[in-house]
Amino acid sequence: MAHIKTIGILTSGGDAPGMNAAIRAVTRSAIYNGFKVKGIYRGYRGLITNEIVDFKTQNVSNIIQQGGTILKTARCKEFTTPEGRKLAYEHMRNHEIDALVVIGGDGSLTGARIFAEEFDVPIVGLPGTIDNDLYGTDHTIGYDTALNTIMWCVDRIRDTASSHERLFFIEVMGRNAGFLAINGAIATGAEAAIIPEISTPEEQLDQLIQNGFRKSKNSSIVLVAESPRTGGAMALADRVKEKYPQYDTRVTILGHLQRGGSPTAQDRILASRLGAAAIDALIEGQRNVMIGDDDEKIVYVPFSKAIHKDKPVDPELVETLRRLSI
């Protein structure tokens, strides 16, 4: 760690509530420990286009409550090429940046791993994604806020579903992970969650729908994780309309509502703890690791594990939802 004097921070991939809290924690913890800090705008693209500025403690004042990311974020095809990464490294060296903290999800940490290996750059990652799909951490930054947003939305849709005796398929984000769908279903009293980790044969879906309308309830809510494996809410609704024309079926796709909003206390605290721990990791000589939260303890997870190992949905959650939706 002796050669590290300046640390660069960037956010990459999809934005997540709590990223600003993480930026604040990294910046202030770094300055507290005697480092200089550089903010890199628009993720890896900013490294290539040289959008790099000095960051002082005042740069991160009054941002902990804001959603999104003050550093902006962008997809960057150029960074997937050796030429693009070489240019990024040259700009990084011109600004005398010795190490990076990358806040993002699966794709962002994949880029960090490749960049670190090619140019021997110490990089520490923070899990910033609403999908909660990174292995080695109980929670990712932004997940709790997104889950609370889903709960808020579904509660309101339930009012309409009950008033009109409708069956609602509500599509939530999650990429190839069902954490938002399964926990959102439990939190809102939904009848079912269709998630990519568990195959849902047509007969099972039929049974779930019939159960919902057999009960004293006069409506049903089914949360669907957006994924090619589930087919998405529109495809499932079309199938049900064809088989059960007597049901008044509706679809709501929550979309980017789930990404925005002021982060919850849990996300602010998680981001602050992980951000401070990122600087501790660099001081300890760690590199190419993601900072994770394992049973409230800070852990260092190698990029290779965080990216390539699947994070399983707890079968107990699935069983709990099944029991409570009878």
Side-chain angles (χ1 to χ4, degrees):
M1 117 54 184
H3 68 286
I4 297 178
K5 295 181 180 178
T6 303
I7 297 171
I9 315 171
L10 63 85
T11 51
S12 175
D15 63 302
M19 279 185 164
N20 283 326
I23 293 166
R24 173 181 179 271
V26 171
T27 300
R28 292 194 168 175
S29 184
I31 292 170
Y32 176 85
N33 283 283
F35 297 106
K36 292 181 180 178
V37 178
K38 300 272 186 173
I40 301 159
Y41 282 86
R42 295 173 181 82
Y44 294 122
R45 183 196 292 177
L47 272 179
I48 291 173
T49 57
N50 205 24
E51 296 181 74
I52 302 170
V53 300
D54 290 329
F55 252 40
K56 307 294 185 185
T57 187
Q58 58 266 32
N59 289 93
V60 294
S61 294
N62 301 318
I63 67 169
I64 195 169
Q65 77 280 9
Q66 295 177 19
T69 163
I70 63 163
L71 284 175
K72 312 302 181 187
T73 182
R75 311 289 180 183
C76 183
K77 288 185 178 179
E78 294 86 352
F79 196 76
T80 64
T81 68
E83 297 78 15
R85 292 191 294 273
K86 185 173 184 295
L87 182 58
Y89 179 70
E90 288 172 358
H91 287 150
M92 182 180 147
R93 295 309 303 148
N94 288 341
H95 285 271
E96 299 181 333
I97 296 172
D98 307 303
L100 290 176
V101 175
V102 173
I103 308 167
D106 181 89
S108 304
L109 299 190
T110 298
R113 181 186 62 80
I114 295 169
F115 193 56
E117 289 175 356
E118 280 184 343
F119 298 101
D120 194 29
V121 177
I123 301 181
V124 170
L126 296 184
T129 168
I130 67 169
D131 300 334
N132 200 38
D133 60 347
L134 287 168
Y135 181 87
T137 186
D138 291 341
H139 303 100
T140 57
I141 296 165
Y143 169 68
D144 186 69
T145 306
L147 185 59
N148 276 276
T149 299
I150 289 168
M151 184 177 69
W152 188 93
C153 292
V154 175
D155 284 350
R156 281 144 186 81
I157 291 169
R158 172 79 75 182
D159 293 343
T160 290
S162 298
S163 298
H164 293 272
E165 299 185 314
R166 285 173 176 163
L167 164 61
F168 265 87
F169 286 94
I170 302 174
E171 185 172 293
V172 301
M173 287 181 169
R175 216 164 53 115
N176 291 317
F179 296 99
L180 286 172
I182 190 74
N183 283 308
I186 292 172
T188 58
E191 278 62 48
I194 310 299
I195 61 175
E197 291 89 343
I198 299 173
S199 60
T200 305
E202 194 167 340
E203 302 78 32
Q204 186 179 347
L205 183 59
D206 294 344
Q207 184 180 3
L208 291 168
I209 293 164
Q210 290 170 12
N211 281 349
F213 278 88
R214 269 205 308 271
K215 295 180 298 183
S216 58
K217 292 182 183 178
N218 58 3
S219 64
S220 277
I221 299 281
V222 177
L223 266 61
V224 183
E226 58 162 8
S227 168
R229 297 179 200 167
T230 65
M234 291 295 292
L236 287 167
D238 287 343
R239 196 168 77 193
V240 170
K241 284 177 185 176
E242 187 176 338
K243 288 200 69 173
Y244 301 99
Q246 71 272 29
Y247 292 154
D248 189 1
T249 305
R250 293 289 190 275
V251 173
T252 298
I253 298 173
L254 297 184
H256 288 84
L257 271 173
Q258 298 158 85
R259 285 200 188 280
S262 180
T264 59
Q266 183 168 324
D267 270 329
R268 297 183 197 194
I269 294 164
L270 177 67
S272 297
R273 290 180 64 228
L274 298 186
I279 301 305
D280 292 340
L282 288 171
I283 291 171
E284 293 171 18
Q286 296 284 340
R287 52 169 58 207
N288 308 339
V289 296
M290 180 192 79
I291 310 299
D293 164 43
D294 182 7
D295 196 23
E296 296 296 321
K297 294 182 177 62
I298 295 293
V299 293
Y300 301 152
V301 186
F303 282 155
S304 55
K305 277 191 178 181
I307 296 162
H308 296 302
K309 294 194 76 170
D310 289 334
K311 181 176 180 179
V313 166
D314 188 344
E316 185 181 322
L317 292 173
V318 179
E319 175 62 16
T320 297
L321 177 60
R322 189 184 69 79
R323 288 184 190 177
L324 300 183
S325 63
I326 60 170

